Structure formats: C-alpha cells, structure tokens
Amino acid sequence: MPSPLQSKTAAGRFFEDFRLGETIRHPTPRTLTSGDASLYSALTGARFAPQSAETFARAIGYPASPIDDLLAFHVVFGKTVADVSLNAVANLGYADGRFLRPVFAGDTLSAVSEVIGLKENSNKQSGVVYVRSRGFNQRGETVVDYVRWVMVRKRDPNAPAPEAYVHKLPEAVGAADLGSACPRIDRAAFDAELSGSPHRFEDYSAGERIDHVDGVTVEEAEHQIATRLYQNNAKVHFNQFSEGEGRFGRRLVYGGHVISLARALSFNGLANAFHIAAINGGRHVAPLFAGDTVFAWSEIVETAALPGRDDVGGLRLRTIAAKNRPCADFPGREGDAYEPHVVLELDYWALAPRRP
Amino acid sequence: MPSPLQSKTAAGRFFEDFRLGETIRHPTPRTLTSGDASLYSALTGARFAPQSAETFARAIGYPASPIDDLLAFHVVFGKTVADVSLNAVANLGYADGRFLRPVFAGDTLSAVSEVIGLKENSNKQSGVVYVRSRGFNQRGETVVDYVRWVMVRKRDPNAPAPEAYVHKLPEAVGAADLGSACPRIDRAAFDAELSGSPHRFEDYSAGERIDHVDGVTVEEAEHQIATRLYQNNAKVHFNQFSEGEGRFGRRLVYGGHVISLARALSFNGLANAFHIAAINGGRHVAPLFAGDTVFAWSEIVETAALPGRDDVGGLRLRTIAAKNRPCADFPGREGDAYEPHVVLELDYWALAPRRP
Amino acid sequence: MPSPLQSKTAAGRFFEDFRLGETIRHPTPRTLTSGDASLYSALTGARFAPQSAETFARAIGYPASPIDDLLAFHVVFGKTVADVSLNAVANLGYADGRFLRPVFAGDTLSAVSEVIGLKENSNKQSGVVYVRSRGFNQRGETVVDYVRWVMVRKRDPNAPAPEAYVHKLPEAVGAADLGSACPRIDRAAFDAELSGSPHRFEDYSAGERIDHVDGVTVEEAEHQIATRLYQNNAKVHFNQFSEGEGRFGRRLVYGGHVISLARALSFNGLANAFHIAAINGGRHVAPLFAGDTVFAWSEIVETAALPGRDDVGGLRLRTIAAKNRPCADFPGREGDAYEPHVVLELDYWALAPRRP
C-alpha cells in the first residue's frame, strides 16, 4: 500500500488494473513544430524529400512539408507509456497501424488508448495487455491508429485476473486502407534527381531484397534526447543507476528509435518510398544498447495498387535491422528463430510515386 | 598586463573590477523560438501541459504556449556569465527571483545586471559579488529578475577592495508578488486528464513530501548542448583539456541544468504546478558530473492564495536533488549539513490551478 | 559488377565515373528553419548578434535574423557528399568560396556541382576530383558557391582515366566580390554592448594575432547530430563498427564541424566580425576525434574596404584550430610543415561594421 505521503505520484498501472474495454485519455498533448522536425532529422538521419523540403512537398501536392510519419507515431506512442507500459516487462509487438492524416508543424497531438485484450501469464506474475491507441490532431481527427501489446507486471500475483480475451488482429493492413494520409501526388512533379532515386513504384517487385549498406552507431545522449523528444518516460531508457543493477546492466535504447534509424538507413534503396502508410507488424527481437551500430535491409513482400489512385502505389516492406553486423547477406530468421544480431523485424506499407 | 596582441579578447572581470552600483548590459540578445523549446524539452524531459501544447495553453487563457520558465531563466543567466562569472570560483546562491512576464516563441531576451553587493574574502584571493540581473523582452518589459552571488577571483591579491556592502535579501518572495507572468486561468478548462494529474492547489498542504521517483542519467553531450543552448560560455562546462587538470578532473554540469532536470522529474507528483512564479533561494550543494543519475523530491513548504486571484494558488516548494541515490526516504539536511549525494536545494514558488 | 538485387542502392561515384564539365543535381532539397538555427547554435556555441537576435538583425538592416553562414554552407556541402565524396579517401581543400545571398528561416536550399578538374594519381588507385558546388534558394538565387577537391578511389585501377585538367583557382576572393550577402548595415545601430565587442573594422590591422582562449571538447553524439543536421551521410562519421577496423580505429569528426567550432570560439576577439563573406581556402591538416578539445587563434591577414560601401569592411582572417593544445603562443606552420596538434587552417573573409 502506498504511503499517503506519496499518493500524488503516478506508479503506473499494473496488469490487474486494466479493464477490458476501458478507455484511457493520456497526458500530455504536444504541439509539433519545425523545431521537432529539425531535431528528429538530426537524431535519426531522416531525409526523404517531402519531409525535408517545403518546395518539394508543395510541388507534389502537399499543402506543406509533412512531419515525418514516425515522429508523429513516436509522439503518440510516448503519451501512452505512463499509463500503459510503465511497469512493462517487454514491449511485445505492434499490429494494424494506420496513418490516417498527415501531420504538419503547428498541429497538436493527443492520444487515447482502449484496452482491447488481456491475458494473464500462467506464472501469475504478469500478463499481456493489448491496447488500441489513437493519436488525434487539434481538430479531433485521427492521425494514427495502432495496436500494441506489452507484458505488464502484476502488483500482486494473487490478484484475480479477468477472463482472457485476445482481440483478433489482421495479418496486414489491406491496400484499400492505405493512402488516406497522403494527398493526391503530382507524379510528374516528383523530381527523381531531387528525391535521390529514379526508382518508382513499378520498379519494385515482390521478393526483391535491398541492403541499405550503411551503419550508424548509437550514443547514449542521442537515444535519450530522442526519447525525451517523444515525451516517452519509460524508466529503462534513462536511469543508469537502476538499470546498472538490472537485467542488462545498461540503459535500453527505445525500440522506436531503432525503427527510425532503420527507416532512415532505408533511404539508400528506397528514397522514393516517402510515406509510411501502415505498420502491419513489428517485433523488437533483441535489445539495442549505446555503442551498437545498426544496419538494415528490406525485402519487398508485396506491391499493391491503391483502389482509385493512379498517383502512388503501395510497397509492403519487411525491414530487418541488425546490430554490429552488416546486412549484405540479408540476415533474417528461419521460422521463428532469428539469426544472432537481428534486433528488429518491421512489416510496413510505404507509398511510392507511380510512373508519370 | 595583457599583451596588446591579445587586447581584443575578453578575460572577464576579476573581483577588483566590480563597482558597487554599476550596471552592465550583457551581450548577446537572443530570440527564443519553437526550436529552442523543442530542444529544451528533449534535453530535460520537461512536459508540463501549457508549455507542451498550444491547444492546452489557449484553452486555459494563454495567448500561446509559453516558453518554459527555466529556459527563459537560463538564457538570461547565460548572458551574465561572460561579464560576471567567467572568473568565478563558485556560484554561491540565488534569491529574490521573480518571473514577471510570460515569454513566447519569437520574443527576444536581453539582460542587464546591477552590482548590489561586494565583500572581499579574508584571504584577499577572492571576493563575493552580488548582482541583480534582469531579463527584458523586445518591448523592454522585465520578464525575469533575480539576485545571485558568486565568489570571484582577484587578478591581484594586493589590489584594494571596496568597502564591504551586502544587500539585504528577502527570505522568500511574498505571495503578493507572484502571478504577474501568469494570465488569468480558466480553471474549468484545466483538463486533469490531459495535464497528467487530478491534484489542484487545494490538494497540497504544508509539510507534504513527494518523491518524484524517477532518475535520469546525464551525458556530457547533453549538458554541453543544453549549456550552449543558453549561450552560457563558462569554461568549466566545456573544456576537458583544462578541467582534466582541475579541481575535479572533469567537466562540471551547469547547475541550471540540474535545476531543469529536477523540475522535469517533479512532473511526477506536481504535474499541475505548471508555472514557476518565483525562486526564493537556491544552492548547488555539490557538483554533478556526466554519468551521474539525478533523483529528486519536493516538500510543500507553504501554500498561499494570491491576492485578488481565485484561479491559481501558490505552492512554495523545497526541491532536493540527489545524485546516484533514490529519494524515497527524502534525503535532505540537518541544519547546515547535507546528507551525502545531495546536489541541489531549491526553494521556489509554483502556481497550480484552484478547484473550479 | 553489382548484383541486380542491389541495383537500387547508391554506391557513390568512383574516380572513373566523373566526366569533366558534367553537372550533378544533388538530392535532397532542405528547408532551413528556426529549429535548425537553434540546434546549430546549441551544437557549436555560435552566438554572433545578428544571427542570435531578430531585434539586433533588424536594427542594423537585415529583414530578419540570417541563418548562420556556416550552417548554410554545411547544408549545401552535405548534399554533395553522396554524389561526390562517398568514396573519398580525403577531403583535400576548399577555394573560391563566396556567400552571395543571405539565407533566412523558411528558405529551401538545393545544390548542384560541376566537375571542373580531374587528375589521376600516379599509383592509379585514385584521383583528385575538383568540383564547383553551388547552393540555391527556392527562388533559384545562388546563396553560396565554392570549389572543393577530394581524393576519390577508383573502382578499377585499370580503368582508363581522362586527361588531367586542373582548374586554376584564385589565391583569395577579391574585395570587390565580398558583401553581396550582407545588406547595407546601419553602423550607428550596431550596438557594441549587445554585440559583445567595441572593436570595429578600423580597429584591426594586418599582422594582428588573436588567441580565442577557450577550448571545447567534442563528444561523439554532438558531431553525429551536427553532421546529420547537415544531411551529410559520409560513412566515416557514423559507423564505429567499420571505422573501428579502419585507418584510425575511430569515427572522424566532420571537418566542417571543426570549422564551426573554431568560428564560434573566435567570438572571443572577433565578436563583431558577424558575417562570413568568402572562404579563400581551407585545409583539414589532421583528423579530429571525439574526446579532443579544440582551441583556436586567428591572424588578420589583410583588411580591405569594400568598393562602394562605407558600412562594413573586410577582415581577411587566417584561423588555426588545434586539438588538446591551447593557442596562446599561436601554433601554426613553418612553410608546409604544421606544428603538431594543428587540425585546421582556414583562410576567410569576414565583414565587420565600420566606425559610425
């Protein structure tokens, strides 16, 4: 029982505190600015053309340079941490993530989560919580919507657990659900010299593998600054005093930062895949620590026309990131067993311009 | 005597260079932008709702999201360094600090200091300089006003010293002097779910102690970037070559960064204490170095209604920060002797919304 | 021959891929914002008054605070890396660099390079490539124009090399070519207390040497964040996994970051030399690594009135930066041999206000 003197301090929810169907409005809303975009770019290396240049964005049909999709995602995710995963043992996965509206500098994002699944572990020490989280802009429009599931400790192993209910999740977002965050693009105005690649939607085919070549070493200051930029206050990323005595003896890099680094590296080979339209699934296979160097490669899982749109097409990508291991030979998994050094598998849809 | 070849280089004032009553206009004015706010948040973890979201700020009565009070304070402080404390042995304390106008992105701050006290030390090697520093916006309005005192080396121990004069300083800023930087707040619009806490002014009482729970480890890059953001060029924070041979063998973290980290940690327990209205006193008890983990706790020293205002109330807080030591048992001091690990004691007024 | 599976990945040009006279349009255009200016200042310590404060800039005649000249330069330079120097052995030098238009927050920069010289090395393993690179704003106006030369590896030592042609480069930019990026300045409004120095153009004379006194230690996170801010993706700055096995066993600090640190340090002695008008030449004498502390000093090589302008004058400066060695005794070179610890020699023109 917490001391009354400490009752104003948030201890975070434990597994038995979640109720199926409950809705949680998260603090704190956050206005995204060109300063956030600058910092995001400088921390991750993101440099896709529409996000980098107002002129390029306007030329192809955006009203302004959009905020990087993953920056918006991380900010929404960050808000959910204090309520959902402060007592998490592990962030298990993502699914059914859809980007529904573009986000621009000046927009204010807030977040709401709904508990859509609960399943106690057999050891009664913890359970898996499934939440659908939604990010809204200042007009109340949903900008991002995704499911994640985390293993959360129980406060009291003897506390009764709700009946297990696990929401059925789609294996992937369908092509008809892509593109709503992407305005109609003027294909002819998509300048291949400025964007960094001549390759358009039609140039990619299922099964193709692309090594993104470069590696980037992560520093403690970088991932801490990035994680605070997203107002994600999960303890494991910031507190060497306690993590030094923990499982790994070190601070963990926020998994979302790994996703952003892999995405930025993917510019080399996927420079025109300028917009993330959906996250089908994601798995943090192993932890990343400061001092590690991240490499990545991607496979084109499938390509899909978007119903009613001849301007952009969907590339379903499986991106693998590995640490301290170049990816020229495409390290992955055999069934469920990942090759050593793999840290991330991300299955997502990106949009690329079609041929004019 | 400086070589004529070097005469263009600022060597900073020594103790015997200060004159009681003299006024110093400091370089360099600085326009604060949303980029500065973004970086401040990413470096410190600040996430109070009005500073984080335009929508929240406007809903409660601000014309726009205010710049974090401590960011404005540090920028004003930073300007004073080259003139006041470049040859300082130690930054001894702060008092009578008042925040008088809100600062918004686009405002340009400049700083002026008045020498209000001088006292040579008995060893004649140094003396204590008291300055009242004021920060102004581009309309000439004072935004922050505070006293600090520093121990400054003498260039020449034989130089005559002025007669000692020490300004009498108030023990604390009075409740009537709070609130001028805070517009009238719409209490009903202060959304407790979005702000992160249901606790309002009336929920806090004198003597209450709050452990802020989390710890944050500081990296060299982080405190250097923060200190440069404030254009504070004190040598001890940046130069490992010379500091490696100095007192501590290391670079020191700027004390103001410690204040900002403690304030950001205090969100956990004081999320609605959204505005710093005054700094009654502050003491950097021990140095902080990169690699140290900062924890903090606060005591409610007193609560005060603000004359003529029923929208916000004042919480006088004593915040203690410690390094590499959780604060669940509230480490502090007995008389003048601090418990080991304590690095900061800060006595300040914050405002919180009253019950609707 | 690259595998077809990897054909979408940019491998960068090798020496034999360059053609004399060819023009390369570089990805990715970049809109500079107040966020970039904030980050640049926080990473380098830049604090010249017009770039720091809107009020100061407008008072002297700018329509707004200009983006730091070197930030604009680095962004243009960064764009050229993927096409010009991804396979570079060494960045050999700069010449004939002119700043032709001021850059303001909101401007979008793009870059084009022309190959103006090629010379194979006698060992046939590599060759020197000379490019003239130009940065343009969104109106197509040239903002910066400079020549650099790099040693680039050959893919195949047996590949035939073009006939050697080396462009003749001016030893220095002439005084008549300075000042086009600087609006007419109101000398009387150039407030010496706010700018940080009473010294104007007329106060400097050829042969004068100024030690910039302070030292600044560079962290891995700082130079990586800075280099990504410029969207410079040269591998040597980011990949400890591969650099650990390389020539130095470490990541190299981008030479442009060294230039920016030296320029920021030069505020102490040259606070009123507020605008870089031209870069006559530059040489990275030795590599800088994280953990090193940078010091700098400058010599006034020459002073020059600008034809038709009585508001500002040109100071031709030779700035030397050294690592882990204070510069009070002005370490430099004897003929072509630099003193140990020297990392940079930069010959540039800065403008300073004339006496009212």
Side-chain angles (χ1 to χ4, degrees), chain A residues 4-11 25-37 39 43 79 82 86 106 108 110-111 138 220-222 224-226 228-229 231 233 235 238-242 251, chain B residues 34-35 38-39 41-49 52-56 191 193-196 199 203-204 208-211 213-217 219 221-222 225 267-269 293 295 324-326 328:
Chain A
L5 291 177
Q6 295 196 33
S7 64
K8 294 201 171 66
T9 304
R25 284 178 78 215
H26 306 290
T28 317
R30 172 87 153 86
T31 303
L32 287 170
T33 68
S34 59
D36 299 319
L39 199 40
L43 289 166
K79 293 187 189 331
L86 213 58
T108 299
S110 57
Q138 69 279 8
E220 298 279 14
E222 292 172 346
Q224 292 198 149
I225 294 172
R228 277 186 297 244
L229 177 66
Q231 298 184 321
N233 67 327
K235 298 162 196 279
F238 298 110
N239 185 334
Q240 182 58 38
F241 182 83
S242 61
R251 282 163 278 176
Chain B
S34 60
S38 171
L39 199 40
S41 171
L43 289 166
T44 65
R47 57 199 165 101
F48 293 88
S52 175
E54 289 287 339
T55 49
F56 193 98
D191 184 319
E193 285 182 346
L194 294 183
S195 71
H199 303 295
D203 299 319
Y204 293 89
E208 187 176 352
R209 293 173 164 201
I210 302 168
D211 173 23
V213 182
D214 291 325
V216 57
T217 305
E219 299 296 321
E222 292 171 346
I225 294 172
F267 182 87
N268 195 352
T293 301
F295 295 86
N324 308 321
R325 184 200 191 291

Side-chain angles (χ1 to χ4, degrees), chain B residues 13 140 147 152 170 176 188 201 215 235 245-246 280 295 301 305 318 331 343:
Chain B
R13 279 176 173 78
V147 172
V152 178
F201 169 68
K235 300 163 196 280
E245 318 248 300
N280 300 309
F295 295 86
V301 178
R318 188 172 72 105
V343 293

Side-chain angles (χ1 to χ4, degrees), chain B residues 43 157 166 176 188 194 232 236 335:
Chain B
L43 289 166
V166 176
L194 294 183
N232 175 334
V236 291

Side-chain angles (χ1 to χ4, degrees), chain A residues 214-219 290-295 324-325, chain C residues 220 223-224 234-253 289-290:
Chain A
D214 291 324
V216 58
T217 305
V218 179
E219 299 295 321
D292 287 339
T293 302
V294 177
F295 295 86
N324 308 321
R325 183 200 192 291
Chain C
E220 298 280 13
H223 78 83
Q224 292 198 149
K235 300 163 195 280
V236 292
H237 309 313
F238 297 111
N239 186 334
Q240 183 58 39
F241 182 82
S242 62
E243 294 309 309
E245 319 247 301
R247 232 185 328 170
F248 302 110
R250 318 198 40 186
R251 282 163 279 176
L252 260 76
V253 174
F289 304 107

